[in-house]
Amino acid sequence: TNQPNRMPQLFSSLKDISDWPEPMGIRDKVNLVVASDFGRTPPHNAGNGKDHWSVGPWMLMLNGAAPRTSLGAIGATSDATMKAQLIDPATMQLVADDAPQGVKITPAHIHRQLRKVAGIDQHPLAHALPLDVPDIDFFGIG
């Protein structure tokens, strides 16, 4: 019940964080990733809380990368059940659940691209800890 009241504080804090590097001359070296370790179910459980859910939002402010959509949003959920909808990785557009090219975006897809943004996608540790998902160019960085 407190979440809507806390959103202004969250966004104010994010603005402060995103403004912080500018006067130090390091804006071009900072990427901001805001995500949760898990989403929350749409309905409340018997204890009036929410359980873990596989769908959740990410906010990314990345230096030198821009979302490949005009709105800066990729992916969606279907309805009150919040089932993740599939995207076409070539166009970033939503597709039908039975579309052969459809992909459900997972955290591994995002992490794979973040490794590229950070320049560590070819590091030995990246090879030692592979992300076994297709490479989807969410940010137009190749």
Side-chain angles (χ1 to χ4, degrees), residues 19-50:
D19 289 347
W20 170 77
E22 189 68 38
M24 297 172 60
I26 58 170
R27 177 69 192 109
D28 62 335
K29 296 177 176 28
V30 175
N31 296 304
L32 180 60
V33 178
V34 181
S36 177
D37 55 338
F38 53 85
R40 293 293 188 170
T41 53
H44 286 86
N45 60 26
N48 202 28
K50 294 194 171 216

PDB file of all heavy atoms in Angstrom, residues 19-50:
ATOM      1  N   ASP A  19      22.263  12.684 -12.154  1.00  0.00           N
ATOM      2  CA  ASP A  19      22.894  14.007 -12.267  1.00  0.00           C
ATOM      3  C   ASP A  19      24.284  14.052 -11.632  1.00  0.00           C
ATOM      4  O   ASP A  19      25.109  14.874 -11.999  1.00  0.00           O
ATOM      5  CB  ASP A  19      22.021  15.077 -11.591  1.00  0.00           C
ATOM      6  CG  ASP A  19      20.753  15.380 -12.356  1.00  0.00           C
ATOM      7  OD1 ASP A  19      20.638  14.973 -13.529  1.00  0.00           O
ATOM      8  OD2 ASP A  19      19.856  16.019 -11.765  1.00  0.00           O
ATOM      9  N   TRP A  20      24.560  13.185 -10.691  1.00  0.00           N
ATOM     10  CA  TRP A  20      25.783  13.210  -9.901  1.00  0.00           C
ATOM     11  C   TRP A  20      27.067  13.184 -10.744  1.00  0.00           C
ATOM     12  O   TRP A  20      28.004  13.941 -10.464  1.00  0.00           O
ATOM     13  CB  TRP A  20      25.734  12.054  -8.902  1.00  0.00           C
ATOM     14  CG  TRP A  20      27.007  11.795  -8.185  1.00  0.00           C
ATOM     15  CD1 TRP A  20      27.528  12.504  -7.137  1.00  0.00           C
ATOM     16  CD2 TRP A  20      27.937  10.756  -8.452  1.00  0.00           C
ATOM     17  NE1 TRP A  20      28.719  11.971  -6.724  1.00  0.00           N
ATOM     18  CE2 TRP A  20      29.006  10.887  -7.533  1.00  0.00           C
ATOM     19  CE3 TRP A  20      27.986   9.725  -9.392  1.00  0.00           C
ATOM     20  CZ2 TRP A  20      30.082  10.025  -7.531  1.00  0.00           C
ATOM     21  CZ3 TRP A  20      29.055   8.874  -9.381  1.00  0.00           C
ATOM     22  CH2 TRP A  20      30.098   9.030  -8.451  1.00  0.00           C
ATOM     23  N   PRO A  21      27.186  12.346 -11.795  1.00  0.00           N
ATOM     24  CA  PRO A  21      28.468  12.267 -12.510  1.00  0.00           C
ATOM     25  C   PRO A  21      28.795  13.489 -13.379  1.00  0.00           C
ATOM     26  O   PRO A  21      29.957  13.722 -13.686  1.00  0.00           O
ATOM     27  CB  PRO A  21      28.316  11.032 -13.401  1.00  0.00           C
ATOM     28  CG  PRO A  21      27.104  10.331 -12.929  1.00  0.00           C
ATOM     29  CD  PRO A  21      26.260  11.326 -12.230  1.00  0.00           C
ATOM     30  N   GLU A  22      27.790  14.263 -13.774  1.00  0.00           N
ATOM     31  CA  GLU A  22      28.006  15.362 -14.720  1.00  0.00           C
ATOM     32  C   GLU A  22      29.054  16.368 -14.238  1.00  0.00           C
ATOM     33  O   GLU A  22      30.021  16.644 -14.958  1.00  0.00           O
ATOM     34  CB  GLU A  22      26.681  16.064 -15.018  1.00  0.00           C
ATOM     35  CG  GLU A  22      26.761  17.061 -16.144  1.00  0.00           C
ATOM     36  CD  GLU A  22      26.996  16.406 -17.491  1.00  0.00           C
ATOM     37  OE1 GLU A  22      26.438  15.321 -17.745  1.00  0.00           O
ATOM     38  OE2 GLU A  22      27.752  16.976 -18.294  1.00  0.00           O
ATOM     39  N   PRO A  23      28.926  16.953 -13.044  1.00  0.00           N
ATOM     40  CA  PRO A  23      29.926  17.937 -12.620  1.00  0.00           C
ATOM     41  C   PRO A  23      31.328  17.351 -12.424  1.00  0.00           C
ATOM     42  O   PRO A  23      32.313  18.078 -12.409  1.00  0.00           O
ATOM     43  CB  PRO A  23      29.381  18.489 -11.302  1.00  0.00           C
ATOM     44  CG  PRO A  23      28.271  17.628 -10.890  1.00  0.00           C
ATOM     45  CD  PRO A  23      27.841  16.812 -12.069  1.00  0.00           C
ATOM     46  N   MET A  24      31.393  16.034 -12.296  1.00  0.00           N
ATOM     47  CA  MET A  24      32.694  15.386 -12.116  1.00  0.00           C
ATOM     48  C   MET A  24      33.323  15.020 -13.454  1.00  0.00           C
ATOM     49  O   MET A  24      34.440  14.504 -13.498  1.00  0.00           O
ATOM     50  CB  MET A  24      32.513  14.133 -11.256  1.00  0.00           C
ATOM     51  CG  MET A  24      32.014  14.478  -9.862  1.00  0.00           C
ATOM     52  SD  MET A  24      31.565  13.036  -8.891  1.00  0.00           S
ATOM     53  CE  MET A  24      33.096  12.151  -8.820  1.00  0.00           C
ATOM     54  N   GLY A  25      32.582  15.254 -14.556  1.00  0.00           N
ATOM     55  CA  GLY A  25      33.104  14.961 -15.880  1.00  0.00           C
ATOM     56  C   GLY A  25      33.188  13.494 -16.217  1.00  0.00           C
ATOM     57  O   GLY A  25      33.976  13.089 -17.068  1.00  0.00           O
ATOM     58  N   ILE A  26      32.362  12.688 -15.568  1.00  0.00           N
ATOM     59  CA  ILE A  26      32.421  11.237 -15.820  1.00  0.00           C
ATOM     60  C   ILE A  26      31.084  10.684 -16.328  1.00  0.00           C
ATOM     61  O   ILE A  26      30.856   9.481 -16.301  1.00  0.00           O
ATOM     62  CB  ILE A  26      32.867  10.461 -14.563  1.00  0.00           C
ATOM     63  CG1 ILE A  26      31.920  10.721 -13.385  1.00  0.00           C
ATOM     64  CG2 ILE A  26      34.305  10.798 -14.200  1.00  0.00           C
ATOM     65  CD1 ILE A  26      32.147   9.804 -12.196  1.00  0.00           C
ATOM     66  N   ARG A  27      30.197  11.546 -16.794  1.00  0.00           N
ATOM     67  CA  ARG A  27      28.882  11.103 -17.266  1.00  0.00           C
ATOM     68  C   ARG A  27      29.000  10.018 -18.325  1.00  0.00           C
ATOM     69  O   ARG A  27      28.212   9.092 -18.372  1.00  0.00           O
ATOM     70  CB  ARG A  27      28.078  12.300 -17.793  1.00  0.00           C
ATOM     71  CG  ARG A  27      26.728  11.912 -18.362  1.00  0.00           C
ATOM     72  CD  ARG A  27      25.801  11.440 -17.235  1.00  0.00           C
ATOM     73  NE  ARG A  27      24.625  10.821 -17.774  1.00  0.00           N
ATOM     74  CZ  ARG A  27      24.370   9.516 -17.714  1.00  0.00           C
ATOM     75  NH1 ARG A  27      25.201   8.691 -17.148  1.00  0.00           N
ATOM     76  NH2 ARG A  27      23.270   9.021 -18.212  1.00  0.00           N
ATOM     77  N   ASP A  28      30.001  10.129 -19.182  1.00  0.00           N
ATOM     78  CA  ASP A  28      30.163   9.158 -20.262  1.00  0.00           C
ATOM     79  C   ASP A  28      30.688   7.811 -19.779  1.00  0.00           C
ATOM     80  O   ASP A  28      30.825   6.880 -20.558  1.00  0.00           O
ATOM     81  CB  ASP A  28      31.091   9.717 -21.340  1.00  0.00           C
ATOM     82  CG  ASP A  28      32.494   9.993 -20.827  1.00  0.00           C
ATOM     83  OD1 ASP A  28      32.657  10.224 -19.613  1.00  0.00           O
ATOM     84  OD2 ASP A  28      33.423   9.970 -21.650  1.00  0.00           O
ATOM     85  N   LYS A  29      30.960   7.679 -18.497  1.00  0.00           N
ATOM     86  CA  LYS A  29      31.464   6.423 -17.948  1.00  0.00           C
ATOM     87  C   LYS A  29      30.462   5.742 -17.014  1.00  0.00           C
ATOM     88  O   LYS A  29      30.775   4.727 -16.408  1.00  0.00           O
ATOM     89  CB  LYS A  29      32.759   6.680 -17.191  1.00  0.00           C
ATOM     90  CG  LYS A  29      33.895   7.168 -18.074  1.00  0.00           C
ATOM     91  CD  LYS A  29      35.109   7.473 -17.254  1.00  0.00           C
ATOM     92  CE  LYS A  29      36.317   7.880 -18.026  1.00  0.00           C
ATOM     93  NZ  LYS A  29      36.198   8.505 -19.269  1.00  0.00           N
ATOM     94  N   VAL A  30      29.257   6.316 -16.891  1.00  0.00           N
ATOM     95  CA  VAL A  30      28.293   5.810 -15.909  1.00  0.00           C
ATOM     96  C   VAL A  30      27.063   5.230 -16.605  1.00  0.00           C
ATOM     97  O   VAL A  30      26.490   5.857 -17.499  1.00  0.00           O
ATOM     98  CB  VAL A  30      27.866   6.937 -14.937  1.00  0.00           C
ATOM     99  CG1 VAL A  30      26.770   6.459 -14.003  1.00  0.00           C
ATOM    100  CG2 VAL A  30      29.063   7.435 -14.153  1.00  0.00           C
ATOM    101  N   ASN A  31      26.691   4.042 -16.194  1.00  0.00           N
ATOM    102  CA  ASN A  31      25.446   3.405 -16.612  1.00  0.00           C
ATOM    103  C   ASN A  31      24.640   3.121 -15.361  1.00  0.00           C
ATOM    104  O   ASN A  31      25.184   2.692 -14.351  1.00  0.00           O
ATOM    105  CB  ASN A  31      25.710   2.094 -17.354  1.00  0.00           C
ATOM    106  CG  ASN A  31      26.462   2.308 -18.637  1.00  0.00           C
ATOM    107  OD1 ASN A  31      26.039   3.067 -19.486  1.00  0.00           O
ATOM    108  ND2 ASN A  31      27.595   1.650 -18.767  1.00  0.00           N
ATOM    109  N   LEU A  32      23.345   3.353 -15.431  1.00  0.00           N
ATOM    110  CA  LEU A  32      22.478   3.129 -14.283  1.00  0.00           C
ATOM    111  C   LEU A  32      21.471   2.037 -14.635  1.00  0.00           C
ATOM    112  O   LEU A  32      20.758   2.144 -15.637  1.00  0.00           O
ATOM    113  CB  LEU A  32      21.754   4.426 -13.911  1.00  0.00           C
ATOM    114  CG  LEU A  32      20.800   4.374 -12.730  1.00  0.00           C
ATOM    115  CD1 LEU A  32      21.515   3.968 -11.452  1.00  0.00           C
ATOM    116  CD2 LEU A  32      20.127   5.725 -12.550  1.00  0.00           C
ATOM    117  N   VAL A  33      21.447   0.996 -13.824  1.00  0.00           N
ATOM    118  CA  VAL A  33      20.523  -0.116 -14.004  1.00  0.00           C
ATOM    119  C   VAL A  33      19.699  -0.243 -12.729  1.00  0.00           C
ATOM    120  O   VAL A  33      20.260  -0.368 -11.644  1.00  0.00           O
ATOM    121  CB  VAL A  33      21.276  -1.441 -14.277  1.00  0.00           C
ATOM    122  CG1 VAL A  33      20.296  -2.599 -14.413  1.00  0.00           C
ATOM    123  CG2 VAL A  33      22.158  -1.313 -15.510  1.00  0.00           C
ATOM    124  N   VAL A  34      18.379  -0.194 -12.878  1.00  0.00           N
ATOM    125  CA  VAL A  34      17.484  -0.331 -11.731  1.00  0.00           C
ATOM    126  C   VAL A  34      16.582  -1.529 -12.004  1.00  0.00           C
ATOM    127  O   VAL A  34      15.853  -1.554 -12.995  1.00  0.00           O
ATOM    128  CB  VAL A  34      16.631   0.939 -11.523  1.00  0.00           C
ATOM    129  CG1 VAL A  34      15.720   0.779 -10.320  1.00  0.00           C
ATOM    130  CG2 VAL A  34      17.519   2.166 -11.382  1.00  0.00           C
ATOM    131  N   ALA A  35      16.663  -2.516 -11.134  1.00  0.00           N
ATOM    132  CA  ALA A  35      15.846  -3.717 -11.302  1.00  0.00           C
ATOM    133  C   ALA A  35      15.709  -4.388  -9.944  1.00  0.00           C
ATOM    134  O   ALA A  35      16.416  -4.057  -8.996  1.00  0.00           O
ATOM    135  CB  ALA A  35      16.495  -4.679 -12.293  1.00  0.00           C
ATOM    136  N   SER A  36      14.816  -5.323  -9.875  1.00  0.00           N
ATOM    137  CA  SER A  36      14.639  -6.111  -8.673  1.00  0.00           C
ATOM    138  C   SER A  36      15.164  -7.511  -8.942  1.00  0.00           C
ATOM    139  O   SER A  36      15.293  -7.925 -10.093  1.00  0.00           O
ATOM    140  CB  SER A  36      13.151  -6.175  -8.307  1.00  0.00           C
ATOM    141  OG  SER A  36      12.964  -7.002  -7.185  1.00  0.00           O
ATOM    142  N   ASP A  37      15.459  -8.236  -7.886  1.00  0.00           N
ATOM    143  CA  ASP A  37      15.898  -9.612  -8.082  1.00  0.00           C
ATOM    144  C   ASP A  37      14.745 -10.524  -8.487  1.00  0.00           C
ATOM    145  O   ASP A  37      14.955 -11.629  -8.938  1.00  0.00           O
ATOM    146  CB  ASP A  37      16.608 -10.142  -6.839  1.00  0.00           C
ATOM    147  CG  ASP A  37      15.776 -10.021  -5.572  1.00  0.00           C
ATOM    148  OD1 ASP A  37      14.857  -9.193  -5.538  1.00  0.00           O
ATOM    149  OD2 ASP A  37      16.059 -10.748  -4.610  1.00  0.00           O
ATOM    150  N   PHE A  38      13.510 -10.051  -8.344  1.00  0.00           N
ATOM    151  CA  PHE A  38      12.342 -10.796  -8.800  1.00  0.00           C
ATOM    152  C   PHE A  38      11.145  -9.861  -8.833  1.00  0.00           C
ATOM    153  O   PHE A  38      11.133  -8.825  -8.178  1.00  0.00           O
ATOM    154  CB  PHE A  38      12.037 -12.010  -7.904  1.00  0.00           C
ATOM    155  CG  PHE A  38      11.917 -11.667  -6.443  1.00  0.00           C
ATOM    156  CD1 PHE A  38      10.710 -11.203  -5.920  1.00  0.00           C
ATOM    157  CD2 PHE A  38      12.996 -11.797  -5.599  1.00  0.00           C
ATOM    158  CE1 PHE A  38      10.600 -10.878  -4.580  1.00  0.00           C
ATOM    159  CE2 PHE A  38      12.898 -11.480  -4.264  1.00  0.00           C
ATOM    160  CZ  PHE A  38      11.688 -11.014  -3.744  1.00  0.00           C
ATOM    161  N   GLY A  39      10.139 -10.234  -9.635  1.00  0.00           N
ATOM    162  CA  GLY A  39       8.898  -9.481  -9.655  1.00  0.00           C
ATOM    163  C   GLY A  39       7.959  -9.975  -8.557  1.00  0.00           C
ATOM    164  O   GLY A  39       8.306 -10.855  -7.773  1.00  0.00           O
ATOM    165  N   ARG A  40       6.801  -9.397  -8.529  1.00  0.00           N
ATOM    166  CA  ARG A  40       5.778  -9.785  -7.553  1.00  0.00           C
ATOM    167  C   ARG A  40       4.499 -10.176  -8.290  1.00  0.00           C
ATOM    168  O   ARG A  40       4.135  -9.569  -9.290  1.00  0.00           O
ATOM    169  CB  ARG A  40       5.474  -8.641  -6.588  1.00  0.00           C
ATOM    170  CG  ARG A  40       6.614  -8.301  -5.665  1.00  0.00           C
ATOM    171  CD  ARG A  40       6.874  -9.443  -4.709  1.00  0.00           C
ATOM    172  NE  ARG A  40       7.840  -9.083  -3.682  1.00  0.00           N
ATOM    173  CZ  ARG A  40       8.089  -9.816  -2.635  1.00  0.00           C
ATOM    174  NH1 ARG A  40       7.458 -10.954  -2.444  1.00  0.00           N
ATOM    175  NH2 ARG A  40       8.973  -9.446  -1.753  1.00  0.00           N
ATOM    176  N   THR A  41       3.814 -11.187  -7.772  1.00  0.00           N
ATOM    177  CA  THR A  41       2.585 -11.669  -8.400  1.00  0.00           C
ATOM    178  C   THR A  41       1.538 -10.559  -8.456  1.00  0.00           C
ATOM    179  O   THR A  41       1.501  -9.692  -7.585  1.00  0.00           O
ATOM    180  CB  THR A  41       1.994 -12.849  -7.606  1.00  0.00           C
ATOM    181  OG1 THR A  41       1.850 -12.455  -6.245  1.00  0.00           O
ATOM    182  CG2 THR A  41       2.862 -14.077  -7.709  1.00  0.00           C
ATOM    183  N   PRO A  42       0.684 -10.589  -9.485  1.00  0.00           N
ATOM    184  CA  PRO A  42      -0.392  -9.594  -9.560  1.00  0.00           C
ATOM    185  C   PRO A  42      -1.355  -9.666  -8.366  1.00  0.00           C
ATOM    186  O   PRO A  42      -1.616  -8.647  -7.749  1.00  0.00           O
ATOM    187  CB  PRO A  42      -1.093  -9.906 -10.873  1.00  0.00           C
ATOM    188  CG  PRO A  42      -0.086 -10.644 -11.683  1.00  0.00           C
ATOM    189  CD  PRO A  42       0.757 -11.403 -10.693  1.00  0.00           C
ATOM    190  N   PRO A  43      -1.858 -10.847  -8.008  1.00  0.00           N
ATOM    191  CA  PRO A  43      -2.799 -10.885  -6.875  1.00  0.00           C
ATOM    192  C   PRO A  43      -2.069 -10.968  -5.538  1.00  0.00           C
ATOM    193  O   PRO A  43      -0.928 -11.414  -5.461  1.00  0.00           O
ATOM    194  CB  PRO A  43      -3.604 -12.164  -7.127  1.00  0.00           C
ATOM    195  CG  PRO A  43      -2.657 -13.063  -7.839  1.00  0.00           C
ATOM    196  CD  PRO A  43      -1.789 -12.153  -8.684  1.00  0.00           C
ATOM    197  N   HIS A  44      -2.742 -10.561  -4.499  1.00  0.00           N
ATOM    198  CA  HIS A  44      -2.233 -10.723  -3.144  1.00  0.00           C
ATOM    199  C   HIS A  44      -2.456 -12.161  -2.697  1.00  0.00           C
ATOM    200  O   HIS A  44      -3.413 -12.817  -3.103  1.00  0.00           O
ATOM    201  CB  HIS A  44      -2.950  -9.770  -2.178  1.00  0.00           C
ATOM    202  CG  HIS A  44      -2.517  -8.355  -2.346  1.00  0.00           C
ATOM    203  ND1 HIS A  44      -3.087  -7.501  -3.266  1.00  0.00           N
ATOM    204  CD2 HIS A  44      -1.556  -7.636  -1.720  1.00  0.00           C
ATOM    205  CE1 HIS A  44      -2.505  -6.327  -3.192  1.00  0.00           C
ATOM    206  NE2 HIS A  44      -1.572  -6.379  -2.255  1.00  0.00           N
ATOM    207  N   ASN A  45      -1.577 -12.643  -1.829  1.00  0.00           N
ATOM    208  CA  ASN A  45      -1.734 -13.995  -1.299  1.00  0.00           C
ATOM    209  C   ASN A  45      -2.610 -13.955  -0.043  1.00  0.00           C
ATOM    210  O   ASN A  45      -3.118 -12.890   0.335  1.00  0.00           O
ATOM    211  CB  ASN A  45      -0.368 -14.640  -1.037  1.00  0.00           C
ATOM    212  CG  ASN A  45       0.460 -13.846  -0.040  1.00  0.00           C
ATOM    213  OD1 ASN A  45      -0.065 -13.121   0.812  1.00  0.00           O
ATOM    214  ND2 ASN A  45       1.779 -13.984  -0.152  1.00  0.00           N
ATOM    215  N   ALA A  46      -2.754 -15.086   0.611  1.00  0.00           N
ATOM    216  CA  ALA A  46      -3.631 -15.188   1.788  1.00  0.00           C
ATOM    217  C   ALA A  46      -3.195 -14.272   2.930  1.00  0.00           C
ATOM    218  O   ALA A  46      -4.011 -13.848   3.737  1.00  0.00           O
ATOM    219  CB  ALA A  46      -3.694 -16.635   2.276  1.00  0.00           C
ATOM    220  N   GLY A  47      -1.904 -13.925   2.987  1.00  0.00           N
ATOM    221  CA  GLY A  47      -1.408 -13.044   4.035  1.00  0.00           C
ATOM    222  C   GLY A  47      -1.416 -11.577   3.624  1.00  0.00           C
ATOM    223  O   GLY A  47      -0.773 -10.755   4.259  1.00  0.00           O
ATOM    224  N   ASN A  48      -2.115 -11.237   2.526  1.00  0.00           N
ATOM    225  CA  ASN A  48      -2.208  -9.890   1.980  1.00  0.00           C
ATOM    226  C   ASN A  48      -0.846  -9.376   1.481  1.00  0.00           C
ATOM    227  O   ASN A  48      -0.616  -8.183   1.413  1.00  0.00           O
ATOM    228  CB  ASN A  48      -2.813  -8.898   2.982  1.00  0.00           C
ATOM    229  CG  ASN A  48      -3.393  -7.689   2.267  1.00  0.00           C
ATOM    230  OD1 ASN A  48      -3.806  -7.786   1.112  1.00  0.00           O
ATOM    231  ND2 ASN A  48      -3.406  -6.555   2.934  1.00  0.00           N
ATOM    232  N   GLY A  49       0.038 -10.310   1.165  1.00  0.00           N
ATOM    233  CA  GLY A  49       1.321  -9.960   0.572  1.00  0.00           C
ATOM    234  C   GLY A  49       1.365 -10.443  -0.859  1.00  0.00           C
ATOM    235  O   GLY A  49       0.343 -10.823  -1.432  1.00  0.00           O
ATOM    236  N   LYS A  50       2.536 -10.432  -1.436  1.00  0.00           N
ATOM    237  CA  LYS A  50       2.701 -10.914  -2.800  1.00  0.00           C
ATOM    238  C   LYS A  50       3.867 -11.889  -2.843  1.00  0.00           C
ATOM    239  O   LYS A  50       4.813 -11.758  -2.080  1.00  0.00           O
ATOM    240  CB  LYS A  50       2.926  -9.740  -3.756  1.00  0.00           C
ATOM    241  CG  LYS A  50       1.683  -8.861  -3.853  1.00  0.00           C
ATOM    242  CD  LYS A  50       1.782  -7.933  -5.024  1.00  0.00           C
ATOM    243  CE  LYS A  50       0.447  -7.236  -5.208  1.00  0.00           C
ATOM    244  NZ  LYS A  50       0.146  -7.023  -6.586  1.00  0.00           N
TER     245      LYS A  50
END
